[in-house]
Every structure is written in C-alpha cells, then in structure tokens.
Amino acid sequence: RWLFDQAVCTLYAFCGVLFGLCSLASLTVLSTVCCLKVCYPAYGTCWHGYLILTHTPLCQQSPSSFNEPDPPPQGKLCLRATYSHYGPEPYGTACCITWQPSSREATLYILALLIFCYLLPCLLILVSYTLILWTVWVSRKAVRQH
C-alpha cells in the first residue's frame, strides 16, 4: 500500500507525469533534429537551434500547477497534469493521475493527454526514424550503383 499521505502522493504523481512528458518530448525533439540533420542537411543547421530553444520551456512547470483541478492554459495542455486528480494506482503501491474521469473536462483532458502527449510524439518519432532509414537506404543504393 501507499505509505505516505496525500500531499506526498500528489507530489510523486506530479513528478512522474512531468518527467515522463519531458522525457517523451526530449526524445521527440531528438528524433526530429536527427531527421533534419540526416534527411535535410541544408535545413538541419538552422532548425537545430530553433528546436532546442523551443524545447527548453516544455519542461518548465509553474508552482501553481500543484493545485487541483485548475484547467491548463491554452497551448500548455501537455505540460500541466492538473485537470485530473492524483491518487493511488489500482494496486495501491504508487500514485499517478486518476485515470477514471470524474467529469467531462477530466475525460477531455485524459483524451488530449493521450493524443497530443503520447500518440502524436510517438508518431513523430516513428516518422522521423522511418525517413532516416529511407534516406540511408536510398543513399546506399546510389553508392552501390556508382
């Protein structure tokens, strides 16, 4: 069972969601930069700095985000996991977002979190590495012909 109080549970779950989103965002930016460097070398140089600069604010969280249930500001839906409440996981050994929505807004938040913070970054990573493999395959084929 969870050994600590609700405040520690909230902090634990908040940190888990925040660091998980930042990790996936970092992997997404990394795959995009690699794709630009390999597939579009002329554009990769100018986009590299832009992607790094825009990625840095993704992992910053306002102190008010521990309050429940403040709606996230527009454009920062993936960054604040406060629309849903935090609580123990089904086995009771750790804490996370309560995935059973208690309202329409919580349902929309969970769906937006799934789509924009998980599926979309995973799709972008998949497309980036597919383009890299395609570029390497085409260039290898061109080298073999010469």
Side-chain angles (χ1 to χ4, degrees):
R1 70 178 179 80
W2 182 252
L3 300 175
F4 305 102
D5 62 352
Q6 182 61 33
V8 176
C9 179
T10 300
L11 178 65
Y12 180 85
F14 171 79
C15 289
V17 170
L18 176 68
F19 297 142
L21 292 177
C22 285
S23 176
L24 190 56
S26 295
L27 291 172
T28 305
V29 169
L30 209 62
S31 70
T32 306
V33 168
C34 287
C35 180
L36 288 173
K37 289 286 201 178
V38 171
C39 301
Y40 308 101
Y43 299 109
T45 309
C46 63
W47 282 100
H48 181 264
Y50 175 75
L51 285 173
I52 298 301
L53 288 175
T54 57
H55 173 256
T56 304
L58 288 178
C59 293
Q60 295 176 351
Q61 189 78 10
S62 67
S64 66
S65 59
F66 286 106
N67 300 334
E68 297 182 44
D70 291 334
Q74 188 175 13
K76 296 193 179 210
L77 191 56
C78 295
L79 305 181
R80 294 184 60 189
T82 58
Y83 220 107
S84 184
H85 295 278
Y86 300 113
E89 291 180 342
Y91 295 110
T93 57
C95 290
C96 69
I97 291 178
T98 306
W99 295 108
Q100 288 82 20
S102 57
S103 65
R104 183 174 163 262
E105 289 83 13
T107 303
L108 291 174
Y109 175 76
I110 290 170
L111 284 174
L113 193 66
L114 173 72
I115 293 168
F116 296 109
C117 301
Y118 181 70
L119 294 178
L120 195 62
C122 287
L123 180 66
L124 189 58
I125 290 170
L126 183 68
V127 168
S128 295
Y129 284 116
T130 302
L131 283 172
I132 290 171
L133 289 174
W134 177 260
T135 302
V136 169
W137 183 75
V138 167
S139 64
R140 182 177 177 198
K141 189 175 173 183
V143 167
R144 280 191 178 173
Q145 287 179 354
H146 287 46

PDB file of all heavy atoms in Angstrom, residues 57-93:
ATOM      1  N   PRO A  57      11.442  25.321 -22.823  1.00  0.00           N
ATOM      2  CA  PRO A  57      10.294  25.676 -21.973  1.00  0.00           C
ATOM      3  C   PRO A  57       9.316  24.531 -21.743  1.00  0.00           C
ATOM      4  O   PRO A  57       8.482  24.611 -20.859  1.00  0.00           O
ATOM      5  CB  PRO A  57       9.606  26.801 -22.734  1.00  0.00           C
ATOM      6  CG  PRO A  57      10.596  27.299 -23.708  1.00  0.00           C
ATOM      7  CD  PRO A  57      11.499  26.150 -23.999  1.00  0.00           C
ATOM      8  N   LEU A  58       9.407  23.450 -22.528  1.00  0.00           N
ATOM      9  CA  LEU A  58       8.470  22.342 -22.348  1.00  0.00           C
ATOM     10  C   LEU A  58       8.582  21.713 -20.970  1.00  0.00           C
ATOM     11  O   LEU A  58       7.611  21.208 -20.443  1.00  0.00           O
ATOM     12  CB  LEU A  58       8.702  21.264 -23.411  1.00  0.00           C
ATOM     13  CG  LEU A  58       8.269  21.611 -24.823  1.00  0.00           C
ATOM     14  CD1 LEU A  58       8.623  20.465 -25.757  1.00  0.00           C
ATOM     15  CD2 LEU A  58       6.797  21.895 -24.885  1.00  0.00           C
ATOM     16  N   CYS A  59       9.760  21.715 -20.403  1.00  0.00           N
ATOM     17  CA  CYS A  59       9.965  21.031 -19.127  1.00  0.00           C
ATOM     18  C   CYS A  59       9.874  21.977 -17.944  1.00  0.00           C
ATOM     19  O   CYS A  59      10.291  21.634 -16.845  1.00  0.00           O
ATOM     20  CB  CYS A  59      11.312  20.320 -19.129  1.00  0.00           C
ATOM     21  SG  CYS A  59      11.353  18.969 -20.294  1.00  0.00           S
ATOM     22  N   GLN A  60       9.371  23.174 -18.124  1.00  0.00           N
ATOM     23  CA  GLN A  60       9.206  24.094 -17.016  1.00  0.00           C
ATOM     24  C   GLN A  60       7.764  24.073 -16.568  1.00  0.00           C
ATOM     25  O   GLN A  60       6.856  24.082 -17.385  1.00  0.00           O
ATOM     26  CB  GLN A  60       9.614  25.503 -17.425  1.00  0.00           C
ATOM     27  CG  GLN A  60      11.095  25.579 -17.748  1.00  0.00           C
ATOM     28  CD  GLN A  60      11.463  26.960 -18.246  1.00  0.00           C
ATOM     29  OE1 GLN A  60      10.605  27.784 -18.489  1.00  0.00           O
ATOM     30  NE2 GLN A  60      12.736  27.186 -18.395  1.00  0.00           N
ATOM     31  N   GLN A  61       7.567  24.064 -15.294  1.00  0.00           N
ATOM     32  CA  GLN A  61       6.234  23.943 -14.711  1.00  0.00           C
ATOM     33  C   GLN A  61       6.041  25.079 -13.718  1.00  0.00           C
ATOM     34  O   GLN A  61       6.931  25.398 -12.955  1.00  0.00           O
ATOM     35  CB  GLN A  61       6.147  22.587 -14.005  1.00  0.00           C
ATOM     36  CG  GLN A  61       4.807  22.221 -13.535  1.00  0.00           C
ATOM     37  CD  GLN A  61       3.937  21.724 -14.676  1.00  0.00           C
ATOM     38  OE1 GLN A  61       4.391  21.493 -15.753  1.00  0.00           O
ATOM     39  NE2 GLN A  61       2.675  21.593 -14.409  1.00  0.00           N
ATOM     40  N   SER A  62       4.879  25.662 -13.716  1.00  0.00           N
ATOM     41  CA  SER A  62       4.608  26.742 -12.771  1.00  0.00           C
ATOM     42  C   SER A  62       4.297  26.162 -11.396  1.00  0.00           C
ATOM     43  O   SER A  62       3.745  25.066 -11.300  1.00  0.00           O
ATOM     44  CB  SER A  62       3.443  27.587 -13.260  1.00  0.00           C
ATOM     45  OG  SER A  62       2.266  26.826 -13.220  1.00  0.00           O
ATOM     46  N   PRO A  63       4.642  26.864 -10.320  1.00  0.00           N
ATOM     47  CA  PRO A  63       4.364  26.357  -8.983  1.00  0.00           C
ATOM     48  C   PRO A  63       2.878  26.171  -8.703  1.00  0.00           C
ATOM     49  O   PRO A  63       2.504  25.361  -7.874  1.00  0.00           O
ATOM     50  CB  PRO A  63       4.943  27.435  -8.059  1.00  0.00           C
ATOM     51  CG  PRO A  63       5.848  28.239  -8.901  1.00  0.00           C
ATOM     52  CD  PRO A  63       5.369  28.113 -10.305  1.00  0.00           C
ATOM     53  N   SER A  64       2.020  26.897  -9.402  1.00  0.00           N
ATOM     54  CA  SER A  64       0.587  26.771  -9.149  1.00  0.00           C
ATOM     55  C   SER A  64       0.010  25.488  -9.723  1.00  0.00           C
ATOM     56  O   SER A  64      -1.158  25.201  -9.546  1.00  0.00           O
ATOM     57  CB  SER A  64      -0.156  27.964  -9.735  1.00  0.00           C
ATOM     58  OG  SER A  64      -0.051  27.940 -11.142  1.00  0.00           O
ATOM     59  N   SER A  65       0.837  24.702 -10.431  1.00  0.00           N
ATOM     60  CA  SER A  65       0.311  23.504 -11.068  1.00  0.00           C
ATOM     61  C   SER A  65       0.043  22.385 -10.075  1.00  0.00           C
ATOM     62  O   SER A  65      -0.524  21.371 -10.435  1.00  0.00           O
ATOM     63  CB  SER A  65       1.273  23.022 -12.145  1.00  0.00           C
ATOM     64  OG  SER A  65       2.517  22.746 -11.564  1.00  0.00           O
ATOM     65  N   PHE A  66       0.431  22.547  -8.831  1.00  0.00           N
ATOM     66  CA  PHE A  66       0.114  21.541  -7.830  1.00  0.00           C
ATOM     67  C   PHE A  66      -1.339  21.662  -7.363  1.00  0.00           C
ATOM     68  O   PHE A  66      -1.865  20.768  -6.741  1.00  0.00           O
ATOM     69  CB  PHE A  66       1.032  21.665  -6.616  1.00  0.00           C
ATOM     70  CG  PHE A  66       2.414  21.165  -6.888  1.00  0.00           C
ATOM     71  CD1 PHE A  66       3.462  22.037  -7.045  1.00  0.00           C
ATOM     72  CD2 PHE A  66       2.658  19.805  -6.998  1.00  0.00           C
ATOM     73  CE1 PHE A  66       4.730  21.573  -7.288  1.00  0.00           C
ATOM     74  CE2 PHE A  66       3.922  19.334  -7.246  1.00  0.00           C
ATOM     75  CZ  PHE A  66       4.974  20.223  -7.389  1.00  0.00           C
ATOM     76  N   ASN A  67      -1.963  22.792  -7.634  1.00  0.00           N
ATOM     77  CA  ASN A  67      -3.358  22.991  -7.224  1.00  0.00           C
ATOM     78  C   ASN A  67      -4.263  22.123  -8.084  1.00  0.00           C
ATOM     79  O   ASN A  67      -4.051  22.000  -9.283  1.00  0.00           O
ATOM     80  CB  ASN A  67      -3.765  24.457  -7.387  1.00  0.00           C
ATOM     81  CG  ASN A  67      -2.914  25.362  -6.543  1.00  0.00           C
ATOM     82  OD1 ASN A  67      -2.385  24.932  -5.532  1.00  0.00           O
ATOM     83  ND2 ASN A  67      -2.775  26.600  -6.965  1.00  0.00           N
ATOM     84  N   GLU A  68      -5.273  21.567  -7.494  1.00  0.00           N
ATOM     85  CA  GLU A  68      -6.210  20.756  -8.242  1.00  0.00           C
ATOM     86  C   GLU A  68      -7.561  21.441  -8.254  1.00  0.00           C
ATOM     87  O   GLU A  68      -7.959  21.998  -7.258  1.00  0.00           O
ATOM     88  CB  GLU A  68      -6.355  19.378  -7.603  1.00  0.00           C
ATOM     89  CG  GLU A  68      -5.072  18.576  -7.618  1.00  0.00           C
ATOM     90  CD  GLU A  68      -5.289  17.204  -7.018  1.00  0.00           C
ATOM     91  OE1 GLU A  68      -6.307  16.576  -7.356  1.00  0.00           O
ATOM     92  OE2 GLU A  68      -4.480  16.792  -6.217  1.00  0.00           O
ATOM     93  N   PRO A  69      -8.375  21.360  -9.208  1.00  0.00           N
ATOM     94  CA  PRO A  69      -8.141  20.998 -10.597  1.00  0.00           C
ATOM     95  C   PRO A  69      -8.129  22.221 -11.508  1.00  0.00           C
ATOM     96  O   PRO A  69      -9.074  22.451 -12.229  1.00  0.00           O
ATOM     97  CB  PRO A  69      -9.310  20.084 -10.910  1.00  0.00           C
ATOM     98  CG  PRO A  69     -10.421  20.638 -10.059  1.00  0.00           C
ATOM     99  CD  PRO A  69      -9.772  21.307  -8.870  1.00  0.00           C
ATOM    100  N   ASP A  70      -7.108  23.031 -11.475  1.00  0.00           N
ATOM    101  CA  ASP A  70      -7.012  24.203 -12.355  1.00  0.00           C
ATOM    102  C   ASP A  70      -6.906  23.746 -13.798  1.00  0.00           C
ATOM    103  O   ASP A  70      -6.098  22.882 -14.105  1.00  0.00           O
ATOM    104  CB  ASP A  70      -5.774  25.030 -12.021  1.00  0.00           C
ATOM    105  CG  ASP A  70      -5.892  25.710 -10.676  1.00  0.00           C
ATOM    106  OD1 ASP A  70      -7.019  25.964 -10.236  1.00  0.00           O
ATOM    107  OD2 ASP A  70      -4.844  25.965 -10.080  1.00  0.00           O
ATOM    108  N   PRO A  71      -7.671  24.323 -14.700  1.00  0.00           N
ATOM    109  CA  PRO A  71      -7.520  23.952 -16.106  1.00  0.00           C
ATOM    110  C   PRO A  71      -6.203  24.502 -16.645  1.00  0.00           C
ATOM    111  O   PRO A  71      -5.771  25.584 -16.256  1.00  0.00           O
ATOM    112  CB  PRO A  71      -8.719  24.616 -16.791  1.00  0.00           C
ATOM    113  CG  PRO A  71      -9.133  25.696 -15.877  1.00  0.00           C
ATOM    114  CD  PRO A  71      -8.737  25.290 -14.493  1.00  0.00           C
ATOM    115  N   PRO A  72      -5.548  23.761 -17.532  1.00  0.00           N
ATOM    116  CA  PRO A  72      -4.295  24.253 -18.084  1.00  0.00           C
ATOM    117  C   PRO A  72      -4.535  25.427 -19.019  1.00  0.00           C
ATOM    118  O   PRO A  72      -5.574  25.486 -19.670  1.00  0.00           O
ATOM    119  CB  PRO A  72      -3.761  23.042 -18.861  1.00  0.00           C
ATOM    120  CG  PRO A  72      -4.946  22.208 -19.133  1.00  0.00           C
ATOM    121  CD  PRO A  72      -5.925  22.468 -18.031  1.00  0.00           C
ATOM    122  N   PRO A  73      -3.577  26.373 -19.076  1.00  0.00           N
ATOM    123  CA  PRO A  73      -3.740  27.483 -20.011  1.00  0.00           C
ATOM    124  C   PRO A  73      -3.670  26.963 -21.439  1.00  0.00           C
ATOM    125  O   PRO A  73      -3.073  25.933 -21.704  1.00  0.00           O
ATOM    126  CB  PRO A  73      -2.560  28.399 -19.683  1.00  0.00           C
ATOM    127  CG  PRO A  73      -1.590  27.555 -18.969  1.00  0.00           C
ATOM    128  CD  PRO A  73      -2.348  26.468 -18.304  1.00  0.00           C
ATOM    129  N   GLN A  74      -4.267  27.701 -22.362  1.00  0.00           N
ATOM    130  CA  GLN A  74      -4.290  27.275 -23.750  1.00  0.00           C
ATOM    131  C   GLN A  74      -2.871  27.155 -24.277  1.00  0.00           C
ATOM    132  O   GLN A  74      -2.032  28.014 -24.056  1.00  0.00           O
ATOM    133  CB  GLN A  74      -5.064  28.287 -24.583  1.00  0.00           C
ATOM    134  CG  GLN A  74      -5.298  27.816 -25.990  1.00  0.00           C
ATOM    135  CD  GLN A  74      -6.161  28.777 -26.762  1.00  0.00           C
ATOM    136  OE1 GLN A  74      -6.393  29.893 -26.331  1.00  0.00           O
ATOM    137  NE2 GLN A  74      -6.628  28.355 -27.909  1.00  0.00           N
ATOM    138  N   GLY A  75      -2.597  26.079 -24.992  1.00  0.00           N
ATOM    139  CA  GLY A  75      -1.275  25.854 -25.551  1.00  0.00           C
ATOM    140  C   GLY A  75      -0.349  25.090 -24.632  1.00  0.00           C
ATOM    141  O   GLY A  75       0.748  24.752 -25.009  1.00  0.00           O
ATOM    142  N   LYS A  76      -0.744  24.812 -23.404  1.00  0.00           N
ATOM    143  CA  LYS A  76       0.104  24.089 -22.479  1.00  0.00           C
ATOM    144  C   LYS A  76      -0.630  22.865 -21.932  1.00  0.00           C
ATOM    145  O   LYS A  76      -0.448  22.490 -20.797  1.00  0.00           O
ATOM    146  CB  LYS A  76       0.547  24.980 -21.332  1.00  0.00           C
ATOM    147  CG  LYS A  76       1.403  26.130 -21.788  1.00  0.00           C
ATOM    148  CD  LYS A  76       2.066  26.776 -20.623  1.00  0.00           C
ATOM    149  CE  LYS A  76       2.932  27.895 -21.155  1.00  0.00           C
ATOM    150  NZ  LYS A  76       4.061  28.161 -20.371  1.00  0.00           N
ATOM    151  N   LEU A  77      -1.429  22.252 -22.779  1.00  0.00           N
ATOM    152  CA  LEU A  77      -2.252  21.134 -22.337  1.00  0.00           C
ATOM    153  C   LEU A  77      -1.403  19.955 -21.901  1.00  0.00           C
ATOM    154  O   LEU A  77      -1.709  19.297 -20.914  1.00  0.00           O
ATOM    155  CB  LEU A  77      -3.183  20.721 -23.469  1.00  0.00           C
ATOM    156  CG  LEU A  77      -4.291  19.745 -23.131  1.00  0.00           C
ATOM    157  CD1 LEU A  77      -5.132  20.295 -21.987  1.00  0.00           C
ATOM    158  CD2 LEU A  77      -5.143  19.485 -24.316  1.00  0.00           C
ATOM    159  N   CYS A  78      -0.315  19.692 -22.600  1.00  0.00           N
ATOM    160  CA  CYS A  78       0.525  18.541 -22.264  1.00  0.00           C
ATOM    161  C   CYS A  78       1.408  18.803 -21.053  1.00  0.00           C
ATOM    162  O   CYS A  78       1.983  17.883 -20.511  1.00  0.00           O
ATOM    163  CB  CYS A  78       1.423  18.180 -23.438  1.00  0.00           C
ATOM    164  SG  CYS A  78       0.527  17.627 -24.871  1.00  0.00           S
ATOM    165  N   LEU A  79       1.539  20.027 -20.659  1.00  0.00           N
ATOM    166  CA  LEU A  79       2.531  20.357 -19.653  1.00  0.00           C
ATOM    167  C   LEU A  79       2.006  20.335 -18.233  1.00  0.00           C
ATOM    168  O   LEU A  79       2.771  20.231 -17.298  1.00  0.00           O
ATOM    169  CB  LEU A  79       3.111  21.745 -19.943  1.00  0.00           C
ATOM    170  CG  LEU A  79       3.687  21.892 -21.339  1.00  0.00           C
ATOM    171  CD1 LEU A  79       4.237  23.275 -21.511  1.00  0.00           C
ATOM    172  CD2 LEU A  79       4.738  20.855 -21.593  1.00  0.00           C
ATOM    173  N   ARG A  80       0.729  20.458 -18.058  1.00  0.00           N
ATOM    174  CA  ARG A  80       0.203  20.529 -16.705  1.00  0.00           C
ATOM    175  C   ARG A  80      -0.774  19.395 -16.472  1.00  0.00           C
ATOM    176  O   ARG A  80      -1.833  19.356 -17.052  1.00  0.00           O
ATOM    177  CB  ARG A  80      -0.487  21.869 -16.489  1.00  0.00           C
ATOM    178  CG  ARG A  80       0.507  22.999 -16.555  1.00  0.00           C
ATOM    179  CD  ARG A  80      -0.136  24.285 -16.253  1.00  0.00           C
ATOM    180  NE  ARG A  80      -0.700  24.243 -14.920  1.00  0.00           N
ATOM    181  CZ  ARG A  80      -1.473  25.186 -14.441  1.00  0.00           C
ATOM    182  NH1 ARG A  80      -1.764  26.217 -15.165  1.00  0.00           N
ATOM    183  NH2 ARG A  80      -1.958  25.101 -13.223  1.00  0.00           N
ATOM    184  N   ALA A  81      -0.393  18.481 -15.648  1.00  0.00           N
ATOM    185  CA  ALA A  81      -1.242  17.324 -15.369  1.00  0.00           C
ATOM    186  C   ALA A  81      -2.096  17.604 -14.145  1.00  0.00           C
ATOM    187  O   ALA A  81      -2.035  16.913 -13.151  1.00  0.00           O
ATOM    188  CB  ALA A  81      -0.373  16.106 -15.162  1.00  0.00           C
ATOM    189  N   THR A  82      -2.879  18.664 -14.187  1.00  0.00           N
ATOM    190  CA  THR A  82      -3.656  19.033 -13.014  1.00  0.00           C
ATOM    191  C   THR A  82      -5.152  18.956 -13.238  1.00  0.00           C
ATOM    192  O   THR A  82      -5.902  19.155 -12.308  1.00  0.00           O
ATOM    193  CB  THR A  82      -3.313  20.467 -12.574  1.00  0.00           C
ATOM    194  OG1 THR A  82      -3.570  21.333 -13.658  1.00  0.00           O
ATOM    195  CG2 THR A  82      -1.882  20.572 -12.146  1.00  0.00           C
ATOM    196  N   TYR A  83      -5.590  18.722 -14.455  1.00  0.00           N
ATOM    197  CA  TYR A  83      -7.027  18.669 -14.685  1.00  0.00           C
ATOM    198  C   TYR A  83      -7.612  17.409 -14.069  1.00  0.00           C
ATOM    199  O   TYR A  83      -8.725  17.382 -13.612  1.00  0.00           O
ATOM    200  CB  TYR A  83      -7.336  18.712 -16.172  1.00  0.00           C
ATOM    201  CG  TYR A  83      -8.527  19.572 -16.453  1.00  0.00           C
ATOM    202  CD1 TYR A  83      -8.392  20.812 -17.037  1.00  0.00           C
ATOM    203  CD2 TYR A  83      -9.792  19.149 -16.093  1.00  0.00           C
ATOM    204  CE1 TYR A  83      -9.481  21.601 -17.282  1.00  0.00           C
ATOM    205  CE2 TYR A  83     -10.891  19.939 -16.333  1.00  0.00           C
ATOM    206  CZ  TYR A  83     -10.727  21.157 -16.923  1.00  0.00           C
ATOM    207  OH  TYR A  83     -11.799  21.943 -17.166  1.00  0.00           O
ATOM    208  N   SER A  84      -6.839  16.362 -14.079  1.00  0.00           N
ATOM    209  CA  SER A  84      -7.253  15.135 -13.432  1.00  0.00           C
ATOM    210  C   SER A  84      -6.658  15.125 -12.024  1.00  0.00           C
ATOM    211  O   SER A  84      -5.644  15.750 -11.771  1.00  0.00           O
ATOM    212  CB  SER A  84      -6.737  13.950 -14.235  1.00  0.00           C
ATOM    213  OG  SER A  84      -7.200  12.758 -13.678  1.00  0.00           O
ATOM    214  N   HIS A  85      -7.291  14.408 -11.133  1.00  0.00           N
ATOM    215  CA  HIS A  85      -6.785  14.332  -9.764  1.00  0.00           C
ATOM    216  C   HIS A  85      -5.724  13.255  -9.654  1.00  0.00           C
ATOM    217  O   HIS A  85      -5.653  12.360 -10.485  1.00  0.00           O
ATOM    218  CB  HIS A  85      -7.939  14.025  -8.808  1.00  0.00           C
ATOM    219  CG  HIS A  85      -8.950  15.121  -8.755  1.00  0.00           C
ATOM    220  ND1 HIS A  85      -8.787  16.237  -7.980  1.00  0.00           N
ATOM    221  CD2 HIS A  85     -10.131  15.285  -9.404  1.00  0.00           C
ATOM    222  CE1 HIS A  85      -9.816  17.041  -8.137  1.00  0.00           C
ATOM    223  NE2 HIS A  85     -10.652  16.491  -9.007  1.00  0.00           N
ATOM    224  N   TYR A  86      -4.904  13.364  -8.625  1.00  0.00           N
ATOM    225  CA  TYR A  86      -3.882  12.365  -8.361  1.00  0.00           C
ATOM    226  C   TYR A  86      -4.365  11.440  -7.257  1.00  0.00           C
ATOM    227  O   TYR A  86      -5.036  11.861  -6.336  1.00  0.00           O
ATOM    228  CB  TYR A  86      -2.581  13.022  -7.916  1.00  0.00           C
ATOM    229  CG  TYR A  86      -2.005  13.972  -8.931  1.00  0.00           C
ATOM    230  CD1 TYR A  86      -1.956  15.331  -8.676  1.00  0.00           C
ATOM    231  CD2 TYR A  86      -1.526  13.522 -10.133  1.00  0.00           C
ATOM    232  CE1 TYR A  86      -1.433  16.208  -9.597  1.00  0.00           C
ATOM    233  CE2 TYR A  86      -0.991  14.394 -11.062  1.00  0.00           C
ATOM    234  CZ  TYR A  86      -0.950  15.733 -10.793  1.00  0.00           C
ATOM    235  OH  TYR A  86      -0.428  16.589 -11.708  1.00  0.00           O
ATOM    236  N   GLY A  87      -3.978  10.183  -7.377  1.00  0.00           N
ATOM    237  CA  GLY A  87      -4.356   9.226  -6.353  1.00  0.00           C
ATOM    238  C   GLY A  87      -3.566   7.935  -6.501  1.00  0.00           C
ATOM    239  O   GLY A  87      -2.772   7.786  -7.434  1.00  0.00           O
ATOM    240  N   PRO A  88      -3.767   6.997  -5.600  1.00  0.00           N
ATOM    241  CA  PRO A  88      -3.046   5.727  -5.689  1.00  0.00           C
ATOM    242  C   PRO A  88      -3.432   4.952  -6.948  1.00  0.00           C
ATOM    243  O   PRO A  88      -4.559   5.025  -7.419  1.00  0.00           O
ATOM    244  CB  PRO A  88      -3.495   4.968  -4.441  1.00  0.00           C
ATOM    245  CG  PRO A  88      -4.092   5.988  -3.549  1.00  0.00           C
ATOM    246  CD  PRO A  88      -4.590   7.092  -4.412  1.00  0.00           C
ATOM    247  N   GLU A  89      -2.466   4.210  -7.478  1.00  0.00           N
ATOM    248  CA  GLU A  89      -2.737   3.321  -8.600  1.00  0.00           C
ATOM    249  C   GLU A  89      -3.613   2.164  -8.120  1.00  0.00           C
ATOM    250  O   GLU A  89      -3.789   1.979  -6.918  1.00  0.00           O
ATOM    251  CB  GLU A  89      -1.411   2.798  -9.163  1.00  0.00           C
ATOM    252  CG  GLU A  89      -0.600   3.871  -9.850  1.00  0.00           C
ATOM    253  CD  GLU A  89       0.718   3.355 -10.406  1.00  0.00           C
ATOM    254  OE1 GLU A  89       1.169   2.273  -9.985  1.00  0.00           O
ATOM    255  OE2 GLU A  89       1.284   4.043 -11.253  1.00  0.00           O
ATOM    256  N   PRO A  90      -4.161   1.380  -9.042  1.00  0.00           N
ATOM    257  CA  PRO A  90      -5.062   0.297  -8.625  1.00  0.00           C
ATOM    258  C   PRO A  90      -4.460  -0.675  -7.598  1.00  0.00           C
ATOM    259  O   PRO A  90      -5.171  -1.162  -6.733  1.00  0.00           O
ATOM    260  CB  PRO A  90      -5.380  -0.420  -9.942  1.00  0.00           C
ATOM    261  CG  PRO A  90      -5.248   0.636 -10.977  1.00  0.00           C
ATOM    262  CD  PRO A  90      -4.141   1.524 -10.491  1.00  0.00           C
ATOM    263  N   TYR A  91      -3.161  -0.940  -7.690  1.00  0.00           N
ATOM    264  CA  TYR A  91      -2.546  -1.841  -6.719  1.00  0.00           C
ATOM    265  C   TYR A  91      -2.215  -1.147  -5.412  1.00  0.00           C
ATOM    266  O   TYR A  91      -1.898  -1.793  -4.424  1.00  0.00           O
ATOM    267  CB  TYR A  91      -1.295  -2.495  -7.304  1.00  0.00           C
ATOM    268  CG  TYR A  91      -1.613  -3.409  -8.461  1.00  0.00           C
ATOM    269  CD1 TYR A  91      -1.246  -3.078  -9.756  1.00  0.00           C
ATOM    270  CD2 TYR A  91      -2.312  -4.593  -8.262  1.00  0.00           C
ATOM    271  CE1 TYR A  91      -1.550  -3.908 -10.821  1.00  0.00           C
ATOM    272  CE2 TYR A  91      -2.620  -5.431  -9.316  1.00  0.00           C
ATOM    273  CZ  TYR A  91      -2.232  -5.089 -10.584  1.00  0.00           C
ATOM    274  OH  TYR A  91      -2.539  -5.908 -11.634  1.00  0.00           O
ATOM    275  N   GLY A  92      -2.246   0.180  -5.420  1.00  0.00           N
ATOM    276  CA  GLY A  92      -2.045   0.943  -4.200  1.00  0.00           C
ATOM    277  C   GLY A  92      -0.614   1.152  -3.773  1.00  0.00           C
ATOM    278  O   GLY A  92      -0.365   1.667  -2.694  1.00  0.00           O
ATOM    279  N   THR A  93       0.361   0.777  -4.603  1.00  0.00           N
ATOM    280  CA  THR A  93       1.763   0.900  -4.216  1.00  0.00           C
ATOM    281  C   THR A  93       2.414   2.187  -4.680  1.00  0.00           C
ATOM    282  O   THR A  93       3.495   2.534  -4.219  1.00  0.00           O
ATOM    283  CB  THR A  93       2.570  -0.284  -4.771  1.00  0.00           C
ATOM    284  OG1 THR A  93       2.407  -0.321  -6.191  1.00  0.00           O
ATOM    285  CG2 THR A  93       2.105  -1.590  -4.154  1.00  0.00           C
TER     286      THR A  93
END
